Amino acid sequence: MLKAIILIGGPQKGTRFRPLSFEVPKPLFPVAGVPMLQHHIEACAQVPDMKEIILIGFYQPNDELNRFISSAQQELKIPIRYLQEFAALGTGGGIYHFRDQILSGGPAAFFLMNADVCSEFPLQEMLRFHRQHGENHCGVLLGTTANRTQSLNYGCIVENHETNEVLHFVEKPSTFVSDIINCGIYLFTPDIFGHIGTVFQRNQQERIQFTCIIIEQDIFTTLAGQKKLFVYKTQHFWSQIKSAGSAIYASRLYLKQYHQTHPERLATNQDGTPKIIGDVYIHPTANIDPSAVLGPNVSVGKGVTIGGGVRVRESIILHGAMLQDHCCVLNSIVGWDSTVGKWARVEGTPSDPNPNDPYAKIDSETLFRDGGLTPSITILGMEILPLIII
């Protein structure tokens, strides 16, 4: 039996995702037409013998989260529940706090993943890799290759190239350590709780009242080189979703994946419908004039209205938005119930990885850099009134 744990964070996190995270919990923001979290859950539900999916975070329970869980359970026919932390306990502290719930039923292993990553989620491949390496280890890390410069922004893994054992792990090193980076997706056996418990007991002895355990820093660095951790390297897509700009890039990756996983979610060119270029998702309730041109990489949400002659490219149009006749929206997110006026042009700066570097990752830039505003996508917040840009 297997379980999956998804760490969804809380309202104090995801500040780089503002203003969008003011209106909806970041894990529920739609990416490629469905909530970000749904991509994780769909991948977990495909794993044989998966019995339960547990969400852990410190969001207050709310109607939106409850509706999402209820809908996902009905659609995917798998139990899903949310466990609320009393505070941010870290990637290790949260699962240790709820260890009895996770171990209930006696799972042989469990997946642990962060909600703010975009991936093909090769979970079944990780499971086979785990079984091939015997029963003496307690974890498999998903890794991917980054360029030397960007690797400094991630947890770096030094492996034994013959056995794939993790020999050394450093979280965001100051100098180059390895071009294999941590993807924030793991497969653990229940033995991992013994190692987390050792850190917890040490913190208690040192009278640390609030125990935040970061599994990458507090556990991986200790277990590396002890034949307890292995790394499975994926050649498929992976990216973090830290900023709104990275959501548009993630949407592109998922829309492309839909050709294999959910072709029914992709719009097609038909008589009496808008012209589709590349990969586009359109919610069935959207009302779009046939003279509009959409794509590539466009997601159109529920109840959206798009007028005649509108051009949309590399953008996410959220629930209830209205794009009036002949406006142009490029590299942008148009917020819930917002309106873009006739002939307006809304254009942002794409924040994609370097297309000439196969190992480049998207940079999660800060809002300001070198005293100036960092170029990025354009975001229209919720309920913006008719916008006309000349």
Side-chain angles (χ1 to χ4, degrees), residues 99-371:
R99 62 193 179 280
D100 291 342
Q101 304 262 19
I102 296 170
L103 296 177
S104 174
F110 63 92
F111 289 97
L112 176 69
M113 59 192 77
N114 293 303
D116 60 353
V117 297
C118 156
S119 174
E120 197 165 299
F121 297 106
L123 305 184
Q124 298 187 53
E125 292 89 336
M126 290 178 69
L127 185 59
R128 285 194 293 268
F129 179 87
H130 160 69
R131 290 168 175 167
Q132 291 167 359
H133 283 75
E135 299 180 353
N136 294 326
H137 68 283
C138 63
V140 173
L141 287 60
L142 183 67
T144 190
T145 304
N147 62 42
R148 291 176 64 96
T149 301
Q150 290 183 316
S151 68
L152 305 181
N153 300 321
Y154 300 89
C156 293
I157 302 167
V158 178
E159 68 162 342
N160 181 318
H161 294 288
E162 295 181 357
T163 65
N164 303 116
E165 179 195 352
V166 176
L167 300 176
H168 189 46
F169 184 93
V170 184
E171 183 69 18
K172 296 181 180 178
S174 55
T175 59
F176 177 75
V177 171
S178 170
D179 60 0
I180 303 173
I181 62 170
N182 175 25
C183 293
I185 300 171
Y186 316 116
L187 175 60
F188 293 125
T189 68
D191 292 343
I192 194 68
F193 289 115
H195 301 288
I196 300 175
T198 300
V199 175
F200 180 82
Q201 294 298 330
R202 186 180 66 233
N203 289 346
Q204 293 284 21
Q205 291 171 5
E206 295 174 359
R207 300 183 182 277
I208 300 176
Q209 295 181 353
F210 176 70
T211 303
C212 179
I213 299 175
I214 308 300
I215 202 166
E216 295 81 1
Q217 298 174 12
D218 297 324
I219 307 300
F220 291 172
T221 53
T222 302
L223 295 184
Q226 297 186 26
K227 301 186 184 301
K228 294 295 185 182
L229 297 176
F230 289 83
V231 56
Y232 175 77
K233 291 177 291 184
T234 180
Q235 304 300 318
H236 300 296
F237 73 82
W238 176 88
S239 180
Q240 288 184 323
I241 309 179
K242 297 294 187 183
S243 64
S246 59
I248 291 181
Y249 176 64
S251 185
R252 184 194 308 160
L253 297 176
Y254 280 135
L255 287 172
K256 183 178 180 181
Q257 186 189 27
Y258 282 172
H259 287 281
Q260 285 73 46
T261 59
H262 293 284
E264 73 282 359
R265 290 179 181 172
L266 293 172
T268 57
N269 284 297
Q270 300 177 11
D271 292 339
T273 63
K275 181 177 180 181
I276 304 299
I277 300 174
D279 299 330
V280 174
Y281 168 86
I282 300 175
H283 193 277
T285 62
N287 181 16
I288 305 176
D289 190 278
S291 64
V293 180
L294 310 180
N297 185 21
V298 169
S299 295
V300 178
K302 181 179 178 181
V304 168
T305 300
I306 298 180
V310 170
R311 180 71 174 99
V312 186
R313 186 183 74 205
E314 296 285 342
S315 297
I316 297 174
I317 314 301
L318 296 172
H319 177 110
M322 175 180 291
L323 309 185
Q324 295 182 352
D325 295 352
H326 304 292
C327 70
C328 180
V329 178
L330 312 173
N331 301 301
S332 301
I333 295 177
V334 178
W336 302 268
D337 299 314
S338 293
T339 300
V340 178
K342 293 182 179 180
W343 296 103
R345 182 182 181 95
V346 180
E347 183 172 5
T349 302
S351 51
D352 295 351
N354 181 357
N356 299 315
D357 182 352
Y359 301 122
K361 308 302 177 191
I362 194 165
D363 288 319
S364 296
E365 296 278 9
T366 56
L367 185 59
F368 293 94
R369 181 181 60 195
D370 300 328

